[in-house]
Amino acid sequence: MAGISAEDSAYVTACTGLVLFMTPGLALFYGGLVRQKAATDMMLQNCVALGLLSMLWYVCGFSMSFGAGTFVGDISDHFMWSGVSKHTAWPLLTISSNLFATFQMMFAIITPILMTGTFADRMHFGPYLLFLVLWSALATCKHKEFLTLPGASSFTPPLVGLRSQRPWHWVPARIVLVGTGILWFGWFGFNGGSALAIGEVAITAVLNSHLAAAAAVCVWGALDWYPEGKPKLVPLCIACVAGLVVVTPSAGFIQPANASFVGMVAGFVCWDAVRLLNKSGIDDALDVWGVHRIGGATGTILLGILADGPERLENNHPEYCVNPNTVARGLPRLACRWRLLSCACCGPSR
């Protein structure tokens, strides 16, 4: 077991469970947003992925994503997890290859089913299974860096029927709220576990995720309350997910004060994107495009603006740096305009 840390292994194992827990959470979240007749189908579409995509990842997905190759990995490298050892650490990590592959499996499950909201109540089960397999094989199982691209999980299939009405007339808010709570909880494993070790980076990622979600709820809630004249629960649930989506690219690279700013931006940008799409008449009933596509792109842009400065790349980096020797912001002057509220975590060179 040389090279494997028991503490890191326990942490990543817990995070693996949290990411898996997000799948039934998403089923409840989406199921509560569609009309009653379609709720069971929506939950079925999410939960069937637990079995189907797990086997796909075990047989060839992990090998296609992490095997040798410049774009798509060699299937024979880790076919049915051949060479994935329980007793040998994955390169550059302190967890076993087996645990690393299992953690990545949870991402392979949750990522493609995020798009089910774009074709809610308008795709039959058979075509859905075929599309899920093909999309996962061509996208999720591509080169391992694909899943970090903004909006990678928000593709909307063009060849589906249209709904006759937007399914907001039946919204059991309690179901949506339970799904939101599970997603919020699971996202701690999603972002915090991506550090692949317990430590300051993981803890900061968890804190940043929570602050961004909270800030998005406040901003979206205010924007929605003012024109409607009364507060509503479901928009706040969507706002929470928007904050988590937008902060995900930068959760392990920015200061907590900046994560609050990211959440505020998420609340405004995603709210405006959802409202714009609704007014255009485009059918995106569960707001996947506005929250995941626009939110993911916005979060990636904010990473380049709000990450710590070039000093994080120095050997003697300042103590406040979140994730030394990784990435640094490309627009230092613009990022420092936020210093009025984040000066407590800004060093003299920032």
Side-chain angles (χ1 to χ4, degrees):
M1 295 280 292
I4 296 179
S5 165
E7 293 81 4
D8 291 342
S9 297
Y11 174 70
V12 176
T13 299
C15 290
T16 300
L18 288 176
V19 180
L20 176 64
F21 194 38
M22 293 175 70
T23 297
L26 187 69
L28 289 172
F29 181 77
Y30 280 167
L33 291 175
V34 298
R35 62 195 180 96
Q36 187 171 8
K37 184 178 178 181
T40 302
D41 289 340
M42 175 58 65
M43 294 181 183
L44 174 63
Q45 287 179 356
N46 280 266
C47 289
V48 71
L50 287 170
L52 182 62
L53 295 182
S54 293
M55 292 308 301
L56 180 65
W57 185 256
Y58 175 73
V59 172
C60 62
F62 180 70
S63 192
M64 291 173 66
S65 186
F66 290 94
T70 56
F71 186 65
V72 177
D74 187 346
I75 294 180
S76 63
D77 274 4
H78 301 296
F79 181 74
M80 297 189 71
W81 284 14
S82 60
V84 178
S85 173
K86 307 176 185 65
H87 308 297
T88 304
W90 186 257
L92 304 180
L93 297 179
T94 56
I95 60 174
S96 69
S97 301
N98 197 359
L99 178 55
F100 175 76
T102 305
F103 181 68
Q104 297 300 329
M105 178 190 287
M106 302 306 116
F107 281 84
I109 295 169
I110 190 65
T111 300
I113 62 175
L114 290 171
M115 65 187 170
T116 56
T118 62
F119 48 76
D121 200 16
R122 55 176 176 164
M123 179 177 276
H124 292 295
F125 187 66
Y128 164 73
L129 291 181
L130 178 61
F131 182 80
L132 195 64
V133 170
L134 293 177
W135 193 93
S136 297
L138 297 176
T140 307
C141 298
K142 279 184 180 179
H143 183 59
K144 48 187 166 287
E145 297 301 325
F146 178 81
L147 293 181
T148 64
L149 295 177
S153 60
S154 307
F155 176 71
T156 305
L159 301 178
V160 291
L162 295 177
R163 281 175 291 265
S164 58
Q165 57 183 335
R166 184 176 172 86
W168 285 101
H169 65 281
W170 185 81
V171 181
R174 61 187 179 276
I175 295 180
V176 180
L177 180 60
V178 170
T180 303
I182 294 175
L183 288 174
W184 198 333
F185 178 56
W187 225 290
F188 291 166
F190 193 92
N191 285 344
S194 294
L196 296 173
I198 184 64
E200 291 81 1
V201 175
I203 294 169
T204 302
V206 169
L207 174 60
N208 286 346
S209 300
H210 184 73
L211 291 175
V217 167
C218 293
V219 172
W220 190 310
L223 292 171
D224 191 70
W225 185 1
Y226 178 75
E228 295 291 334
K230 62 179 180 180
K232 293 180 294 185
L233 175 59
V234 171
L236 296 184
C237 293
I238 298 174
C240 166
V241 175
L244 293 167
V245 167
V246 176
V247 79
T248 291
S250 59
F253 302 97
I254 63 175
Q255 301 291 339
N258 287 337
S260 301
F261 177 68
V262 168
M264 294 178 186
V265 173
F268 178 78
V269 171
C270 294
W271 172 83
D272 200 48
V274 168
R275 187 182 63 160
L276 177 64
L277 202 65
N278 291 341
K279 288 185 176 181
S280 70
I282 298 176
D283 188 17
D284 182 24
L286 305 191
D287 303 324
V288 174
W289 181 85
V291 171
H292 292 276
R293 171 72 70 176
I294 299 301
T298 300
T300 303
I301 293 171
L302 289 175
L303 169 60
I305 299 174
L306 299 176
D308 291 332
E311 66 272 15
R312 76 158 36 174
L313 303 178
E314 301 171 359
N315 291 329
N316 296 321
H317 53 270
E319 197 172 299
Y320 58 77
C321 289
V322 176
N323 201 338
N325 301 316
T326 52
V327 297
R329 63 173 180 253
L331 297 173
R333 292 184 181 275
L334 182 59
C336 284
R337 296 189 185 280
W338 182 239
R339 289 183 66 177
L340 291 175
L341 294 180
S342 63
C343 57
C345 63
C346 289
S349 61
R350 296 185 71 197

